[in-house]
């Protein structure tokens, strides 16, 4: 446990700079092994400042904190989720939305409702599927992205607090999302529902689309696929090119790889129900896909977008300079975040009937 605490301190405070790197690091960028990564000059000043003053990704600490058992995962869950959940009431109030906990089909959800719903979304609904590697962001910690969507698109949102690791591997999360969707389409026309989320939430959304097709369910009208974890294997250039450059995920090795194996529950990581990128995309709804140039999952966003286009599905790909994985959620006030959710708002208005 002492080793674990020391590793968490490294992740929070960042790795100490060597004397040789001190002159350039921080002000100008980072040394990543033998290559220097400068600040992204084409990114917004606000994002540049966040990178300049933030912690440098640390692969060593990431490997040290990777849990070895269920207790370790639950400790890491608490460390991640508790501070996020604590900030939710203030974020909801400042965003002019209300949050109400409820149950749909026996699954805990959070209803996030803007104080003023946009006229075009009076009868619409966004079904939100949160990210977090199938292990993090449970409870109120599931809602920060849902708050952003509700506030900026002015659309009612239901965020699914699906069952997660380490106690509930595949197919628990997929079953919960399916149960909630089946209940909702009894009272809402599918063409009035959009669905999506970020990271594991986006991957789970795609897996749900394949599952809904298998069950013969009508699909929602539009998808938001934020930097989708749609392939749980280490497949794609950006897993190699953006390792250490992504200050959110840092690298595939460690927590991500361990969570992928735990979620798959003995199945192949390339099973389409685990990694929907290997499934059939025909007939899917129009989708907006998002990523950043420093995102470890950039290749996954590119591949998802290409698969959608190859299947004849209207799909948009929005990639932001200098952005790491999913940073448009915690850095909600930077221009890149505002631009993405403005794009999503317009996208929903075009595709929801």
């Amino acid at each position: 446990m002492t080793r674990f605490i020391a590793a968490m301190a490294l992740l929070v405070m960042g790795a100490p700079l060597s004397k040789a790197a001190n002159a350039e690091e921080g002000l100008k960028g980072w040394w990543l092994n033998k290559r220097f990564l400068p600040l992204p000059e084409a990114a917004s000043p606000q994002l540049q400042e966040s990178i300049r003053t933030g912690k440098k990704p640390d692969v060593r600490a990431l490997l040290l904190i990777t849990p070895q058992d269920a207790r370790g995962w639950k400790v890491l869950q608490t460390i991640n989720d508790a501070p996020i959940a604590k900030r939710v009431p203030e974020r909801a109030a400042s965003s002019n939305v209300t949050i109400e906990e409820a149950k749909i089909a026996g699954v805990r959800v959070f209803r996030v409702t803007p104080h003023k719903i946009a006229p075009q979304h009076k009868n619409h609904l966004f079904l939100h599927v949160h990210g977090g590697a199938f292990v993090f962001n449970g409870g109120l910690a599931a809602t920060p992205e849902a708050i952003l969507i509700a506030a900026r698109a002015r659309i009612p949102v239901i965020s699914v607090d699906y069952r997660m690791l380490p106690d509930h591997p595949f197919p628990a999360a997929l079953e919960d999302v399916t149960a909630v969707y089946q209940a909702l389409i009894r009272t809402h026309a599918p063409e009035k529902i959009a669905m999506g989320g970020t990271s594991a939430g986006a991957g789970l959304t795609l897996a749900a689309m394949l599952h809904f097709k298998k069950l013969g369910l009508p699909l929602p009208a539009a998808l938001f696929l934020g930097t989708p974890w749609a392939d749980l294997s280490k497949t794609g250039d950006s897993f190699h090119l953006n390792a250490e450059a992504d200050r959110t995920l840092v690298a595939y090795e460690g927590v991500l790889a361990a969570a992928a194996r735990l979620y798959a529950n003995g199945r192949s990581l390339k099973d389409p129900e685990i990694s929907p990128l290997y499934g059939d995309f025909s007939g899917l709804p129009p989708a907006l896909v998002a990523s950043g140039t420093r995102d470890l999952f950039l290749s996954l966003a590119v591949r998802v977008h290409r698969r959608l286009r190859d299947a004849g599905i209207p799909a948009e790909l929005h990639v932001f300079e200098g952005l790491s994985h999913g940073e448009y959620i915690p850095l909600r006030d930077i221009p890149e975040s505002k631009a993405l959710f403005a794009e999503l708002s317009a996208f929903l208005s075009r595709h929801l009937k």
Side-chain angles (χ1 to χ4, degrees):
M1 187 59 70
T2 301
R3 189 180 79 163
F4 179 88
I5 292 170
M8 285 303 301
L10 276 174
L11 282 178
V12 171
M13 296 183 294
L17 303 180
S18 68
K19 291 181 180 179
N22 255 334
E24 290 185 288
E25 284 208 314
L27 288 176
K28 295 183 179 180
W30 301 323
W31 279 101
L32 305 177
N33 290 321
K34 295 182 180 180
R35 63 177 174 135
F36 186 72
L37 180 65
L39 287 174
E41 292 184 18
S44 69
Q46 295 92 327
L47 179 54
Q48 288 187 54
E49 180 66 7
S50 175
I51 294 171
R52 187 185 70 78
T53 58
K55 63 184 176 66
K56 176 183 175 181
D58 190 307
V59 175
R60 180 168 60 95
L62 182 70
L63 295 174
L64 287 172
I65 69 164
T66 302
Q68 303 300 313
D69 54 26
R71 177 174 176 269
W73 281 110
K74 290 178 180 180
V75 169
L76 202 57
Q77 277 179 330
T78 300
I79 291 170
N80 179 84
D81 295 359
I84 297 173
K86 186 177 181 179
R87 292 192 295 268
V88 163
E90 182 278 326
R91 286 208 163 187
S94 64
S95 299
N96 295 313
V97 305
T98 58
I99 298 179
E100 176 189 7
E101 184 178 330
K103 284 279 186 77
I104 296 178
V107 178
R108 183 165 67 166
V109 301
F110 292 93
R111 297 181 181 273
V112 185
T113 308
H115 293 173
K116 292 184 179 180
I117 297 172
Q120 70 271 27
H121 293 320
K122 182 179 178 182
N123 298 310
H124 294 160
L125 182 66
F126 191 102
L127 182 58
H128 175 250
V129 187
H130 72 82
F134 303 106
V135 66
F136 304 117
N137 301 336
L140 274 179
T143 62
E145 181 177 41
I147 291 170
L148 281 169
I149 294 168
R152 293 186 175 169
R154 292 168 57 203
I155 186 172
V157 175
I158 290 178
S159 185
V160 185
D161 188 20
Y162 54 84
R163 287 171 294 164
M164 294 194 299
L165 302 173
D167 295 330
H168 303 288
F170 176 87
L174 182 60
E175 290 173 345
D176 287 354
V177 170
T178 301
V180 172
Y181 182 75
Q182 286 179 305
L184 289 177
I185 60 175
R186 297 190 190 107
T187 56
H188 294 75
E191 60 267 24
K192 298 183 183 297
I193 299 175
M195 184 171 169
T198 285
S199 194
L204 186 51
T205 295
L206 273 174
M209 293 304 103
L210 304 184
H211 192 58
F212 294 173
K213 288 203 303 178
K214 184 178 178 181
L215 295 176
L217 299 176
L219 301 185
L223 303 178
F224 168 53
L225 305 174
T227 177
W229 200 18
D231 182 352
L232 272 61
S233 70
K234 188 181 178 181
T235 305
D237 272 357
S238 62
F239 282 104
H240 306 276
L241 294 171
N242 284 345
E244 295 186 76
D246 185 328
R247 61 195 187 131
T248 302
L249 297 177
V250 186
Y252 179 79
E253 289 71 24
V255 172
L256 276 179
R261 291 191 299 270
L262 194 59
Y263 178 75
N265 198 22
R267 302 177 69 151
S268 167
L269 293 184
K270 293 191 176 182
D271 183 320
E273 290 191 302
I274 303 295
S275 296
L277 247 171
Y278 299 99
D280 177 13
F281 279 26
S282 63
L284 264 57
L288 186 152
V289 186
S291 187
T293 59
R294 296 191 177 191
D295 187 354
L296 195 70
F297 289 179
L298 174 57
S299 286
L300 299 185
V302 169
R303 291 170 63 204
V304 164
H305 178 254
R306 189 70 262 151
R307 286 292 315 282
L308 289 166
R309 297 291 295 172
D310 287 346
I313 309 303
E316 302 178 9
L317 176 61
H318 298 268
V319 179
F320 293 89
E321 178 74 2
L323 206 65
S324 289
H325 182 74
E327 284 189 314
Y328 49 78
I329 300 172
L331 302 181
R332 59 178 182 166
D333 293 325
I334 65 172
E336 289 83 357
S337 177
K338 293 177 180 179
L340 173 59
F341 286 104
E343 293 282 3
L344 177 59
S345 179
F347 179 82
L348 296 177
S349 293
R350 288 196 299 274
H351 291 287
L352 291 175
K353 295 182 180 179

